[in-house]
Amino acid sequence: MALIVQKFGGTSVGNMDRIKNVAKRVARTFSEGNEVVVVLSAMSGETNRLVGLCHEASEFPIGREYDLVISTGEQVTIGLLAIVLKEMGYNAKSLLGHQVPIVTDSQFASARIESIDGQKMKEELSKGTILVVAGFQGVDPLGNITTLGRGGSDTTAVAIAAALKADLCEIYTDVEGVYTTDPNVCQEARKLERVSYDEMLEMASLGAKVLQTRSVEFAKKYEVPVMVRSSFNDAAGTLVCKEDEEMEKVVVSGITYNKNEAKISVLRVPDRPGIAAKLFRPLTEAGINVDMIVQNISQDAHTDLTFTVSKEDFKRGLKIVQETASQIEAKDVVGDPNIAKISIVGAGMRSHAGVASQMFDVMAREGINIQMISTSEIKVSCVVDVKYTELAVRVLHEAFGLGKSEVVEEKQG
Ligand code: ASP
Ligand code: MG
């Protein structure tokens, strides 16, 4: 007997038929002798609709009531699933975030989970109850309803699995697992059998949309095994787990791209201590996250500084930087939203040399100009003109041997 957390995304609970299918799968897992906690998203499109309504109500709706409104989609799906399960003769109970309770900080629209009390859930599970918990929501210490950021029900699921020391957290979604790259861009994309927490963390934050980044941080911290799989078939998914020797042998496991960033360059900045702090502090204060940063060596005591922000922060960021730039007597500020960040990720990079230069060679061969570069232990990212995104992804996928395995091709031939 195992304790399993099963999370179903918006498409998987998109209508009543699908909710009934989810109920069947949950019932099967339960009948096999497992304790089951289900975590649900809202029906697909519902959270967007609620966000839209809030923006109709106010230009700046984020705050206590915003979270109260956008968290309601999950209340509907968990209630419906619990009703269906009861109708099928099972003991089921739906729980909202505050009923668990899942306690978060008070950062509305992007709250972080602080603690989950698993005691009551454990008691219910031992009595043979299937628990159906609302994803995406929590409660702050003052009793306000909070939400965990878009895609946050992944994090609810993993955090509950961690709190209950579950044997497995299954994330059911509309794709079959984690792929070597986006199958919509590259037909050769292949489903990965396993991927390490660190690789998944990089992939999620670099643009792969299967899991919310925060959920992977939780999984890594508490070593929760996470299985990403399809809710529409029984195909084995991708296991996100601890790195082992086998994984280190694979140099590159995935290629990701992100078109959601924009580039800002500050030209001829006086090169003195404190200048970078002056430039970036106002951005931080405005809640704007800076991703890649590149600073040139200085010539006659001036330097150029380029960095990226998300597209939605671009206009606001540009304005803030223009103001600071004139204060610090920089020559000019230029912005470019037509960029993409292409990244290669692989645990094997820790022990293999020359991976970055191989990436640059491939780009050079295709005549793709690299505008910025950043690296970590297990990834290399390049910023390029957005028009090269698909080309870059395809040639890198091929060059690092990520295509469909030869064995399959031989059989077909
Ligand atoms: N329903 C929320 C959203 O659309 C949470 C989730 O789906 O994970 O962002
Ligand atoms: Mg999601």
Side-chain angles (χ1 to χ4, degrees):
M1 191 181 92
L3 201 172
I4 300 178
V5 175
Q6 299 187 314
K7 181 255 166 178
F8 296 85
T11 330
S12 311
V13 293
N15 58 43
M16 217 45 235
D17 278 344
R18 290 188 175 172
I19 289 178
K20 286 180 182 166
N21 270 334
V22 167
K24 280 188 206 145
R25 195 180 281 271
V26 170
R28 202 202 314 160
T29 310
F30 180 80
S31 305
E32 285 164 1
N34 303 299
E35 292 180 327
V36 187
V37 180
V38 185
V39 174
L40 297 184
S41 294
M43 291 185 184
S44 50
E46 178 63 5
T47 311
N48 281 345
R49 188 182 74 85
L50 297 166
V51 167
L53 289 175
C54 290
H55 283 276
E56 275 178 44
S58 156
E59 199 184 342
F60 301 106
I62 293 185
R64 182 179 184 276
E65 275 61 41
Y66 180 78
D67 282 26
L68 181 97
V69 173
I70 70 167
S71 63
T72 56
E74 277 75 9
Q75 177 161 350
V76 173
T77 51
I78 60 165
L80 290 173
L81 180 67
I83 293 174
V84 173
L85 283 166
K86 284 194 205 181
E87 190 65 23
M88 290 163 69
Y90 295 90
N91 234 331
K93 186 170 183 177
S94 58
L95 291 173
L96 292 167
H98 70 87
Q99 293 172 319
V100 171
I102 298 172
V103 179
T104 72
D105 61 19
S106 305
Q107 197 69 46
F108 296 113
S110 58
R112 291 169 80 93
I113 295 177
E114 284 179 346
S115 65
I116 295 180
D117 185 351
Q119 201 45 45
K120 270 196 278 174
M121 282 197 285
K122 280 200 179 127
E123 282 163 23
E124 299 270 9
L125 289 170
S126 69
K127 283 188 268 173
T129 307
I130 298 172
L131 293 176
V132 188
V133 181
F136 184 50
Q137 57 173 264
V139 61
D140 77 358
L142 297 171
N144 301 306
I145 290 170
T146 55
T147 60
L148 309 178
R150 298 308 302 273
S153 44
D154 294 336
T155 300
T156 307
V158 178
I160 285 180
L164 296 175
K165 300 200 170 57
D167 299 282
L168 180 64
C169 179
E170 293 183 312
I171 305 282
Y172 286 91
T173 175
D174 49 6
V175 292
E176 282 188 15
V178 182
Y179 282 73
T180 49
T181 194
D182 182 351
N184 297 315
V185 166
C186 179
Q187 283 189 350
E188 302 292 303
R190 192 168 42 83
K191 184 169 66 184
L192 293 162
E193 226 172 275
R194 296 186 315 152
V195 65
S196 73
Y197 293 125
D198 285 330
E199 289 173 319
M200 192 64 237
L201 211 48
E202 292 281 12
M203 288 185 198
S205 60
L206 291 168
K209 293 182 192 76
V210 262
L211 288 175
Q212 197 196 35
T213 309
R214 190 85 186 98
S215 73
V216 190
E217 287 170 5
F218 255 103
K220 181 184 170 182
K221 186 165 172 196
Y222 298 100
E223 293 191 3
V224 179
V226 176
M227 176 66 97
V228 180
R229 54 188 300 188
S230 166
S231 61
F232 301 115
N233 62 42
D234 284 328
T238 302
L239 184 67
V240 189
C241 59
K242 243 171 110 170
E243 190 171 315
D244 61 26
E245 279 166 26
E246 277 306 304
M247 289 170 164
E248 277 167 45
K249 287 187 196 150
V250 184
V251 183
V252 174
S253 317
I255 319 276
T256 62
Y257 66 91
N258 184 354
K259 295 184 183 180
N260 193 31
E261 287 189 25
K263 192 175 77 171
I264 298 177
S265 299
V266 195
L267 306 179
R268 284 194 62 79
V269 184
D271 195 7
R272 302 191 291 266
I275 288 292
K278 272 217 179 82
L279 260 174
F280 291 114
R281 194 179 305 120
L283 291 169
T284 310
E285 281 165 3
I288 295 178
N289 262 328
V290 172
D291 180 27
M292 285 165 97
I293 305 178
V294 172
Q295 185 186 332
N296 283 351
I297 52 158
S298 82
Q299 277 190 336
D300 52 55
H302 284 76
T303 181
D304 296 338
L305 227 146
T306 301
F307 58 92
T308 61
V309 297
S310 75
K311 271 220 172 84
E312 58 177 12
D313 289 335
F314 177 57
K315 282 201 185 127
R316 215 156 50 95
L318 196 61
K319 203 163 155 251
I320 292 173
V321 172
Q322 275 161 345
E323 281 161 22
T324 328
S326 67
Q327 287 164 21
I328 58 174
E329 290 169 346
K331 183 161 167 256
D332 203 3
V333 179
V334 286
D336 180 3
N338 298 314
I339 58 158
K341 183 169 71 171
I342 316 289
S343 311
I344 57 174
V345 177
M349 280 186 216
R350 287 203 180 99
S351 46
H352 292 74
V355 185
S357 67
Q358 196 184 340
M359 179 180 193
F360 307 152
D361 279 344
V362 174
M363 308 279 253
R365 233 189 294 137
E366 300 295 329
I368 303 172
N369 184 42
I370 300 171
Q371 304 178 5
M372 295 171 83
I373 299 168
S374 80
T375 62
S376 80
E377 242 191 331
I378 62 161
K379 74 123 202 270
V380 184
S381 300
C382 294
V383 167
V384 300
D385 189 314
V386 70
K387 71 179 179 211
Y388 294 125
T389 311
E390 286 75 16
L391 175 65
V393 167
R394 281 189 215 123
V395 293
L396 289 167
H397 196 266
E398 161 104 58
F400 286 104
L402 293 177
K404 301 219 159 62
S405 74
E406 253 116 60
V407 186
V408 175
E409 279 173 15
E410 266 170 23
K411 268 191 206 150
Q412 285 169 339

